[in-house]
Structure formats: structure tokens, C-alpha cells
Amino acid sequence: MSKIIAITNQKGGVGKTSTAINLSASIAAFEKNTLIIDIDPQANSSSGIGIIGEGNTVYEAMLGLEEADACIEKTHIPFLDIIPSNINLVGAEVELVNIEGRETKLRDSIQSLRNNYDFIFIDCPPSLGLLTLNALTAADSVMIPVQCEYFALEGLGQLLNTINLVKKNFNPQLMIEGVLLTMFDTRLRLSHQVVDEVRKYFGEKVFKSIINRNVRISEAPSHSKPVLLYDALSRGARDYMSLAEEIIKNNQTATEE
């Protein structure tokens, strides 16, 4: 049975999609069967991993037009598949509004895939709309990327309220997988202050692994590759491999308990 992790933060520019691409590729590098579900209409996770999304996408799966397994595409990375997105998903929020059980469409559509993967990551749009609500309802846990910059904690209260509402109404088992500090710059005192502030706020929920600001992470999507394939020796690749190892270890411990 796979672990489903939604990667979300309604603030843009926090490294959410970079994390979806690079973490899933790093988990796959440990030979874990991994699936990315791109539920962002901008489809950056899809294009960043070299998939255009011209065939069946998450839109068809959510609206019941196709079975979810018919929407899966193989990537050029062993052990990594994707259900891509495209601009059609913009219309899904409108089309779902009057449908009964609209919050559970994603969960219902991907239930049959859970036995096929070790990890499923859902890349959410930068908003708290119906698509993100579907992701939180489908997920076992939530990963929250937080950038080590000014206003880092702004809006997190609203996100935590949304997570609690989803727990109360749709998904009682939903947990916080962890808070991921991104775009850390060792030279800046502000970065260190944000780390201290986030750790004070979230305690042990903050991952030990930190994603440093690294130009290779920024360059990799333009080559339609995760940073691990673009420059395996870069600081960014090492950071995401460290995070992948931490998540695998945490989930093995949880299973054993």
C-alpha cells in the first residue's frame, strides 16, 4: 500500500513544484516505485520532467472520463511514473462545483493505484481551492515547503486551518508529513532566523534535511530533467537525496511501529 503525500503551500515561489519533481526522482533513485500526480493547471511538474500532457491527464481521471491507470505516463527515470496535467484542468474546478462528492473525486479515482506504488506525490496548485481540497482528501499526509525568506510564515495559519477542516470533514487520518525548509542561503542571517522561527513553530515536524539555494535546481526544469539527472554532484541533488532518504527512513519506522 503506497504512502500518498500532498505537497502544498498556497504561497507561490516556495519550491513546491521543484520539490515534487526532485523528491520523487530521488525516491525513485532508491528503487521505490513512485508516482507524481500533477494537479496544478500550470503543469510545471509535467513539463519539468519531460512530459507534455497531450494524452489522458489528471483532468480525465478526476472527471471519470478515463480510469486513472490509463492516464499514467512513464518518465525517462526508472521507477518513476506521472499522471500529468495540462491547461484543461483550469475548467475542472468549475465543472466539479455542482457535482456531488466533488471533494473526493481524486481519492476515488486513484484508489486502484495504491497497491502499485511505494510513494505517490501530489503537486498542488498555489491556492486553497477545490483542486487542493481534492489532494488533501486523497492524501495520507501533507508536506509543506517553506522558503527561508521574509514572510515565510505568512499564510501558513490559513493552510493549517484548511488541513484541520479537511481532517474534520473528509479525511480524519490526514497528518503533516513535515515542513521542508527551502531556498536556504548560509550567508544570510535572515535564512538562519527563518529556520529558528519555523523550528520553534513546528518543532519536530520540520525535516532535518534543508534545501539550499542552488542554481542547478533552477536550471534543471529548462532541460526537462530533475536536478539529479541534470547535475548529480550539485548541492541541490545532494539535498534532495538526503530528504528522500529521511522520508523513506521515517516511513519505514512508522510502519514498524
Side-chain angles (χ1 to χ4, degrees):
M1 182 74 81
S2 57
K3 176 74 174 281
I4 302 178
I5 302 174
I7 303 174
T8 187
N9 189 332
Q10 78 270 27
K11 274 174 71 75
V14 299
K16 180 182 57 61
T17 295
S18 289
T19 296
I21 294 170
N22 292 306
L23 175 57
S24 59
S26 298
I27 294 264
F30 282 98
E31 300 189 352
K32 301 290 184 184
N33 288 317
T34 309
L35 175 70
I36 308 177
I37 300 175
D38 189 353
I39 200 171
D40 186 345
Q42 295 176 81
N44 290 333
S45 274
S46 304
S47 62
I49 219 152
I51 302 295
I52 305 301
E54 290 179 331
N56 293 326
T57 67
V58 71
Y59 171 83
E60 281 77 18
M62 284 183 69
L63 290 175
L65 303 173
E66 289 287 349
E67 294 295 323
D69 59 3
C71 303
I72 295 170
E73 293 201 34
K74 295 281 180 190
T75 72
H76 51 279
I77 301 158
F79 298 97
L80 182 61
D81 296 342
I82 187 169
I83 296 181
S85 175
N86 63 24
I87 196 64
N88 291 343
L89 197 56
V90 169
E93 293 219 47
V94 178
E95 292 175 58
L96 288 170
V97 164
N98 296 316
I99 295 177
E100 190 176 340
R102 59 185 180 269
E103 302 87 359
T104 63
K105 289 298 176 187
L106 181 64
R107 181 176 71 189
D108 296 343
S109 68
I110 65 172
Q111 267 316 80
S112 61
L113 305 179
R114 294 201 65 151
N115 291 328
N116 302 342
Y117 294 96
D118 298 301
F119 289 92
I120 297 176
F121 294 98
I122 307 174
D123 182 22
C124 301
S127 70
L128 294 177
L130 195 48
L131 292 174
T132 298
L133 192 58
N134 263 270
L136 295 177
T137 302
D140 299 310
S141 62
V142 186
M143 177 183 291
I144 306 170
V146 175
Q147 83 283 28
C148 296
E149 294 175 0
Y150 200 60
F151 295 136
L153 295 175
E154 187 184 60
L156 281 187
Q158 189 182 356
L159 174 58
L160 294 174
N161 285 340
T162 301
I163 291 169
N164 286 330
L165 282 171
V166 171
K167 280 186 74 165
K168 185 178 175 183
N169 295 300
F170 306 111
N171 187 1
Q173 279 74 47
L174 185 65
M175 299 170 60
I176 293 178
E177 183 75 22
V179 176
L180 176 65
L181 291 156
T182 65
M183 304 179 195
F184 180 76
D185 190 333
T186 53
R187 301 164 300 176
L188 298 180
R189 189 166 67 178
L190 176 62
S191 280
H192 294 277
Q193 288 172 341
V194 170
V195 169
D196 291 342
E197 201 174 341
V198 171
R199 286 199 165 132
K200 197 184 302 178
Y201 193 82
F202 287 101
E204 291 182 357
K205 285 293 181 186
V206 182
F207 288 109
K208 294 181 180 69
S209 305
I210 293 178
I211 309 303
N212 288 269
R213 188 176 286 281
N214 180 252
V215 69
R216 294 306 199 206
I217 294 175
S218 305
E219 290 171 350
S222 65
H223 296 268
S224 302
K225 292 178 179 178
V227 69
L228 188 63
L229 291 189
Y230 179 62
D231 185 350
L233 300 178
S234 66
R235 183 68 183 268
R238 294 200 308 271
D239 288 346
Y240 275 110
M241 285 298 285
S242 170
L243 176 64
E245 197 169 7
E246 187 176 347
I247 286 172
I248 291 168
K249 187 177 175 184
N250 287 350
N251 281 285
Q252 280 173 343
T253 305
T255 305
E256 286 161 10
E257 288 172 358

